[in-house]
Amino acid sequence: MKKIILAAAATLLATFGLHAQDTLLKPDHPDTYTVQQGDTLWDISGRFLSMPWYWPEIWQVNPQVENPHLIYPGDRLNLVYVDGQPRLELERAPTAYRLSPASDNRLGPSVRREPIDTAIPAIPLDAINAFLSRTRIVGPNAFRGVPYVISGQDQRILMGAGEKVYARGDFREPLPSYGVYRPGPVYADPYTGEELGQQALDVASVDLRQLDVDNANSEFAVATLDVTRSSRDMRLEDRLLPVEERAIAALFQPSAPAVPVDGVILGVEEGVTQVAKYDVVAINRGLREGLEPGNVLAIYKRGATVRDRIARQNVKLPDERAGVLMVFRSFEKMSLGLVLEAEKPLAVMDLVRNP
């Protein structure tokens, strides 16, 4: 009898697992799809799956394809069933190459082959490019005592790429290059009051040209700097920080967090309070809570509190699911995410949870 019960339970679990896999697929999913220029992994996942963050569950790695995790325009994705489970297999398109002069020093004529197409990103990288490459979350005291911009060329107060600027501060250990940042809000956890970090909004990159003694303060110097890149107008009092060296994980895959997540949206770029699709938001959960780049979170509107006139009590209405975001950068106590779906108007202090 024990064996019969165990066998029945195993059959039931297998049937449940198959059903769970099938429910991942959208009713109108295609059987094949050819990747187009401008596609993102999130877009393609949404064509096949009702919950795009379950992409890793159906992605079938093809050992005969070099770099099977990278998908290029022209590749074909075929929906197949392996042991009764839905899987997507990759059929690589012929690679188109660009010919250019070789970069070696050989005397004879030669050419270099370079693939024309690049792998599609997980999400629209142009929407978060500045955040992927420069903007960061720093400690609350990171801007204390660092050099700052005091003037532009010809005493201008707004500066940009290709111009000369002047900064004043402690340059006793000068660096050849600096990042220019604008101090943003200091974020605190709304539940515990813990300080989580401060936004350092990317402004520009500068190269050090020369240093001159500051007559007003012997510990300071006045630096002349060349602006090599700018993402927004540089202003007086913008701060100089060492350039951050780090790898950029731009080809992450959408996935559900491996741990329970219950957080809130703390802020939006440029200090606005309303949140829309493709806005970058800061949330109060980070690496220490197990969040990683690629993790997808559901956004919930807080339920309003209304008055029950009959019972004469205040009643909180249920929180309502209203959008989806994907984490693209995690810090120790916070993360930055891109809003991929917004079914209702969103705002700072809306909730983020497991999808």
Side-chain angles (χ1 to χ4, degrees), residues 200-279:
L201 187 65
D202 170 56
V203 175
S205 298
V206 294
D207 288 344
L208 179 62
R209 178 187 289 190
Q210 70 180 50
L211 285 174
D212 294 282
V213 176
D214 187 339
N215 295 326
N217 188 334
S218 59
E219 295 184 358
F220 280 9
V222 176
T224 305
L225 307 127
D226 296 316
V227 184
T228 58
R229 175 200 63 85
S230 61
S231 57
R232 48 182 50 84
D233 286 335
M234 190 186 307
R235 303 174 185 171
L236 304 183
E237 301 183 15
D238 283 343
R239 313 302 170 87
L240 273 60
L241 294 176
V243 176
E244 185 184 33
E245 299 292 340
R246 65 180 182 86
I248 299 173
L251 294 172
F252 40 68
Q253 293 188 1
S255 61
V259 295
V261 178
D262 188 3
V264 300
I265 295 176
L266 294 176
V268 194
E269 185 202 5
E270 306 292 356
V272 299
T273 58
Q274 299 304 306
V275 183
K277 186 175 182 180
Y278 293 155
D279 276 347

Side-chain angles (χ1 to χ4, degrees), residues 277-312:
K277 186 175 182 180
Y278 293 155
D279 276 347
V280 172
V281 297
I283 62 176
N284 66 330
R285 296 291 182 263
L287 293 171
R288 69 177 181 181
E289 286 83 21
L291 273 187
E292 299 178 350
N295 284 168
V296 175
L297 298 172
I299 306 172
Y300 286 81
K301 293 289 297 180
R302 289 179 179 270
T305 299
V306 298
R307 183 70 175 173
D308 182 338
R309 297 183 180 183
I310 294 178
R312 297 182 180 180

Side-chain angles (χ1 to χ4, degrees), residues 23-323:
T23 57
L24 293 178
L25 297 174
K26 294 179 72 171
D28 58 347
H29 66 79
D31 293 325
T32 65
Y33 178 73
T34 301
V35 181
Q36 306 296 317
Q37 193 76 36
D39 278 346
T40 65
L41 185 56
W42 182 263
D43 296 333
I44 295 175
S45 302
R47 290 179 179 271
F48 289 93
L49 303 176
S50 55
M51 296 178 286
W53 52 91
Y54 277 103
W55 174 266
E57 300 293 325
I58 68 167
W59 178 237
Q60 180 75 20
V61 173
N62 188 340
Q64 298 177 345
V65 175
E66 184 180 1
N67 292 328
H69 291 287
L70 303 183
I71 305 175
Y72 297 85
D75 290 349
R76 175 179 289 184
L77 300 175
N78 300 312
L79 181 65
V80 299
Y81 283 82
V82 178
D83 296 329
Q85 304 297 315
R87 294 287 184 266
L88 279 175
E89 288 188 340
L90 174 65
E91 183 180 330
R92 186 72 86 205
T95 304
Y97 289 94
R98 177 191 297 111
L99 301 181
S100 59
S103 59
D104 55 33
N105 296 319
R106 290 182 295 178
L107 296 178
S110 60
V111 296
R112 180 176 59 204
R113 294 199 315 165
E114 297 177 341
I116 291 177
D117 290 319
T118 56
I120 64 171
I123 52 181
L125 293 183
D126 55 343
I128 58 171
N129 183 56
F131 288 81
L132 277 173
S133 58
R134 311 284 179 180
T135 293
R136 61 215 227 200
I137 302 296
V138 297
N141 297 321
F143 290 111
R144 183 174 298 174
V146 301
Y148 50 89
V149 177
I150 59 171
S151 178
Q153 190 170 358
D154 300 325
Q155 299 184 16
R156 294 175 186 167
I157 60 174
L158 294 177
M159 296 75 76
E163 298 185 35
K164 183 169 60 177
V165 299
Y166 302 93
R168 182 173 185 251
D170 185 354
F171 287 98
R172 283 175 291 185
E173 297 181 5
L175 300 174
S177 301
Y178 291 88
V180 181
Y181 296 88
R182 187 164 301 145
V186 176
Y187 295 113
D189 190 284
Y191 303 119
T192 66
E194 178 189 12
E195 287 192 356
L196 304 177
Q198 183 174 11
Q199 183 193 62
L201 187 65
D202 170 56
V203 175
S205 298
V206 294
D207 288 344
L208 179 62
R209 178 187 289 190
Q210 70 180 50
L211 285 174
D212 294 282
V213 176
D214 187 339
N215 295 326
N217 188 334
S218 59
E219 295 184 358
F220 280 9
V222 176
T224 305
L225 307 127
D226 296 316
V227 184
T228 58
R229 175 200 63 85
S230 61
S231 57
R232 48 182 50 84
D233 286 335
M234 190 186 307
R235 303 174 185 171
L236 304 183
E237 301 183 15
D238 283 343
R239 313 302 170 87
L240 273 60
L241 294 176
V243 176
E244 185 184 33
E245 299 292 340
R246 65 180 182 86
I248 299 173
L251 294 172
F252 40 68
Q253 293 188 1
S255 61
V259 295
V261 178
D262 188 3
V264 300
I265 295 176
L266 294 176
V268 194
E269 185 202 5
E270 306 292 356
V272 299
T273 58
Q274 299 304 306
V275 183
K277 186 175 182 180
Y278 293 155
D279 276 347
V280 172
V281 297
I283 62 176
N284 66 330
R285 296 291 182 263
L287 293 171
R288 69 177 181 181
E289 286 83 21
L291 273 187
E292 299 178 350
N295 284 168
V296 175
L297 298 172
I299 306 172
Y300 286 81
K301 293 289 297 180
R302 289 179 179 270
T305 299
V306 298
R307 183 70 175 173
D308 182 338
R309 297 183 180 183
I310 294 178
R312 297 182 180 180
Q313 294 175 330
N314 291 333
V315 179
K316 182 183 178 300
L317 300 180
D319 301 328
E320 295 185 5
R321 182 166 172 149

